Amino acid sequence: MATQMRGTPPREQTPSTATTDGRGSDQWEALLELATSRPKRAPDRKQDRSKRTEQQILNAALRVFARDGISRSRIADIAAEAGISTSTLYEYYKSKEDLAYDLPTSHLVSFFQEYRLAAAGKTSAREKLSLYLSMSADFAREHADWGRLFYLEIWPSVLVSETELRHSVNDFARIALFLIDEGVRQGEFPEGRNTYETASILLGAVNQVIITWLLYRRPRNLTKASAEITERVLTMIANERTIS
Amino acid sequence: MATQMRGTPPREQTPSTATTDGRGSDQWEALLELATSRPKRAPDRKQDRSKRTEQQILNAALRVFARDGISRSRIADIAAEAGISTSTLYEYYKSKEDLAYDLPTSHLVSFFQEYRLAAAGKTSAREKLSLYLSMSADFAREHADWGRLFYLEIWPSVLVSETELRHSVNDFARIALFLIDEGVRQGEFPEGRNTYETASILLGAVNQVIITWLLYRRPRNLTKASAEITERVLTMIANERTIS
DNA sequence: AAAAAATCCGATAAAACGTCGAAAAAAATT
DNA sequence: AATTTTTTTCGACGTTTTATCGGATTTTTT
């Protein structure tokens, strides 16, 4: 349980609610562009050898973290798993924490890229939203090691707000919020509701399902379950009585 | 890993709650009794002095964990904050992990007790559910240090399922699920829906709001916001089209 | 192929964790 | 109320894990 959508960033809100047609999709593109181009905090390595080493570290760390949890994992184990010495690892990451919080970034960017591609065909806000939430669950299922690390250890942590990763985490919520606002503008969802609240309901429900699955492998079929709950909630939201 | 039941085993008293069907409220009372009597894993100290020391450790740990996060907190800091030596702390808890995961138990039991009292007057499932969710948000607000620790570090953690705390965590979800089922039985909510799913939607939404508040202090008024979102979701659920 | 730059690692320091036996405090016994 | 026994506390010390640094090794540049 325990949902985290530490999204809904208090201040920054890129998309303003302009009721223009062309403007809206400009903003949408800008938002996706931002999310898919977050810099991977790369220490500018010169040699190919380094890129390979870095990848080995990342792969090893993901395996070890997913197996033992961050707190129980030891730097030495990760280095051994990567086939390098402990001190070499410190050439790349200045601490275990640093490594743990940098690790999920690339996966998250990949998710946004995959989504961007898949959403290209969709026109209605509801369709885009439905796809977004289903894909996020599916992504966690397909990359379960990453999912465990991200949803159960990184995202919920108080420390995430101190790292670069927070930008991607904020993007995640911002995209959902944007689509809800768009849905309201286009008459797919009733007006008059607090859209932050609507976003909390949607993201909360889906995250809840994902986390339960990561912890207990239940429901058995995450893809089906998340699609189902997404549709159910979207329908509830679409059918809510308008408040003026 | 056996459940260590110490102290007086919770014995059932015949519930005097005489509502519509006696069977259902028997189960309800049993559920609450269970949740409010989870044993606090206390190493049975003989002297009063020890109880004071234990309390000092718990208070100190809560402050330090909430301030630094579990991973950055050091045993020595907690001991210093509690005014005892490091080795004395080890007399009480065998590791930092042990301490961190034992810490939230007593608060959680208090919450269930408070809820049990407050819910005594309520009759409809919806009222009980509404109260339950609102109170859980309010409890986190009133005990913000505990809330940060529990919602942001403990609950979502992979490790929680290996600790005694998991029982209380499971109770939390079980109570919500029970009330939803009861609501369906009593005709307050439409039939035919997956009630696990319904529980995920409700708990997910409320947790989402709580976590956002713990991290950003937004929305400003958590009590109002959580009551609002609770009512909104409950109304959505109550108004859903029946599926047969 | 020599010089320069980038990368890697063994040795070792620093920090945090955890243990143990003995001292101090409280309780029980006489 | 002195003495014995039990409980609690703590300083000293051993272990594990984290982190640093200077030089050796490999790669790139000239």
Side-chain angles (χ1 to χ4, degrees):
Chain A
M1 6 297 252
T3 315
Q4 39 293 111
M5 173 54 262
R6 11 310 257 265
T8 56
R11 299 250 174 247
E12 37 179 338
Q13 187 195 358
T14 327
S16 101
T17 37
T19 334
T20 45
D21 6 82
R23 283 284 274 144
S25 75
D26 275 0
Q27 284 176 6
W28 174 240
E29 280 305 318
L31 199 51
L32 288 180
E33 179 57 35
L34 193 68
T36 51
S37 60
R38 291 288 182 197
K40 358 192 125 183
R41 176 216 86 107
D44 280 330
R45 293 276 160 178
K46 304 296 165 65
Q47 303 182 0
D48 284 353
R49 176 172 59 152
S50 293
K51 301 215 167 62
R52 237 178 303 123
T53 303
E54 173 133 31
Q55 204 49 53
Q56 282 165 356
I57 293 174
L58 256 24
N59 292 341
L62 187 54
R63 278 197 299 277
V64 174
F65 282 150
R67 190 188 65 213
D68 301 338
I70 295 174
S71 65
R72 290 178 180 172
S73 298
R74 285 168 311 189
I75 295 275
D77 288 347
I78 296 170
E81 181 93 8
I84 60 173
S85 76
T86 300
S87 41
T88 298
L89 196 152
Y90 277 98
E91 288 287 328
Y92 289 79
Y93 296 92
K94 73 178 204 295
S95 70
K96 190 169 76 170
E97 197 176 290
D98 204 47
L99 173 54
Y101 283 81
D102 184 56
L103 187 47
T105 308
S106 59
H107 281 80
L108 220 33
V109 169
S110 300
F111 166 72
F112 287 126
Q113 288 170 341
E114 283 184 26
Y115 173 68
R116 190 180 195 177
L117 231 67
K122 309 292 179 187
T123 53
S124 79
R126 175 164 173 169
E127 270 181 314
K128 284 191 229 165
L129 204 43
S130 171
L131 184 68
Y132 187 60
L133 298 171
S134 299
M135 277 185 72
S136 74
D138 237 35
F139 194 82
R141 185 185 56 77
E142 281 164 19
H143 308 90
D145 273 357
W146 170 85
R148 268 175 91 81
L149 182 65
F150 181 65
Y151 281 94
L152 304 182
E153 303 223 51
I154 304 284
W155 195 350
S157 153
V158 282
L159 272 46
V160 81
S161 55
E162 297 171 19
T163 66
E164 282 308 303
L165 184 58
R166 76 180 188 282
H167 294 124
S168 292
V169 167
N170 288 343
D171 289 342
F172 191 82
R174 206 178 291 139
I175 287 175
L177 184 60
F178 179 90
L179 287 174
I180 291 168
D181 283 333
E182 185 173 81
V184 172
R185 278 200 302 275
Q186 300 185 349
E188 300 176 56
F189 301 131
E191 271 179 25
R193 297 289 183 174
N194 179 339
T195 49
Y196 282 97
E197 202 179 89
T198 309
S200 294
I201 295 169
L202 266 171
L203 294 172
V206 174
N207 286 343
Q208 187 85 11
V209 172
I210 292 173
I211 288 171
T212 306
W213 183 82
L214 287 168
L215 278 171
Y216 306 111
R217 287 294 185 273
R218 243 180 293 161
R220 207 56 88 61
N221 187 338
L222 176 64
T223 302
K224 184 157 151 277
S226 65
E228 217 173 272
I229 203 170
T230 297
E231 284 311 311
R232 184 176 166 192
V233 177
L234 282 173
T235 299
M236 290 198 302
I237 289 168
N239 291 341
E240 247 183 323
R241 225 191 39 224
T242 303
I243 285 189
S244 47
Chain B
M1 249 323 172
T3 328
Q4 38 187 164
M5 294 292 262
R6 60 179 69 254
T8 47
R11 211 41 270 145
E12 296 300 321
Q13 80 289 22
T14 3
S16 53
T17 337
T19 40
T20 48
D21 72 68
R23 199 93 167 82
S25 73
D26 274 0
Q27 283 175 9
W28 174 240
E29 280 304 321
L31 198 51
L32 288 181
E33 178 58 34
L34 193 68
T36 52
S37 60
R38 291 288 180 197
K40 353 193 125 181
R41 175 218 85 106
D44 277 332
R45 295 273 157 178
K46 304 294 163 69
Q47 303 182 4
D48 284 353
R49 178 171 59 149
S50 294
K51 300 210 166 65
R52 236 177 305 124
T53 303
E54 173 131 33
Q55 204 49 53
Q56 282 165 355
I57 294 174
L58 257 24
N59 292 341
L62 189 52
R63 278 197 299 278
V64 174
F65 283 149
R67 190 187 64 212
D68 300 339
I70 295 176
S71 65
R72 287 179 181 172
S73 299
R74 284 167 313 189
I75 296 274
D77 287 347
I78 296 169
E81 180 93 9
I84 60 173
S85 76
T86 301
S87 41
T88 298
L89 197 152
Y90 277 99
E91 287 288 325
Y92 289 79
Y93 295 92
K94 72 178 204 296
S95 70
K96 189 168 76 171
E97 209 174 85
D98 204 47
L99 173 56
Y101 285 81
D102 185 54
L103 186 48
T105 309
S106 59
H107 281 79
L108 221 33
V109 169
S110 300
F111 167 72
F112 287 126
Q113 288 171 341
E114 283 184 23
Y115 173 68
R116 190 181 195 175
L117 229 68
K122 309 292 178 186
T123 52
S124 79
R126 176 166 171 168
E127 271 181 313
K128 284 190 228 166
L129 204 42
S130 173
L131 184 68
Y132 188 60
L133 297 171
S134 299
M135 277 187 73
S136 73
D138 238 33
F139 194 82
R141 185 184 57 77
E142 281 164 19
H143 307 91
D145 274 358
W146 170 85
R148 266 175 94 80
L149 182 66
F150 181 66
Y151 281 94
L152 304 182
E153 303 223 51
I154 305 283
W155 194 351
S157 153
V158 283
L159 271 46
V160 80
S161 54
E162 296 171 20
T163 66
E164 284 307 305
L165 182 59
R166 76 180 189 283
H167 294 124
S168 292
V169 167
N170 289 342
D171 289 341
F172 191 83
R174 205 177 294 137
I175 287 175
L177 185 61
F178 179 90
L179 287 174
I180 291 168
D181 283 334
E182 185 172 82
V184 172
R185 277 199 304 274
Q186 300 186 349
E188 299 175 57
F189 302 130
E191 273 180 25
R193 297 289 183 175
N194 179 339
T195 50
Y196 283 97
E197 204 179 88
T198 309
S200 295
I201 295 169
L202 267 171
L203 293 173
V206 174
N207 287 342
Q208 186 83 14
V209 172
I210 292 173
I211 288 171
T212 305
W213 183 84
L214 287 168
L215 279 169
Y216 305 111
R217 289 294 186 272
R218 296 287 160 84
R220 206 58 85 62
N221 187 337
L222 176 64
T223 303
K224 183 157 152 278
S226 66
E228 216 173 274
I229 204 170
T230 298
E231 284 312 309
R232 184 175 167 193
V233 177
L234 281 174
T235 299
M236 291 197 302
I237 290 169
N239 291 340
E240 251 183 318
R241 227 191 35 224
T242 303
I243 286 189
S244 49

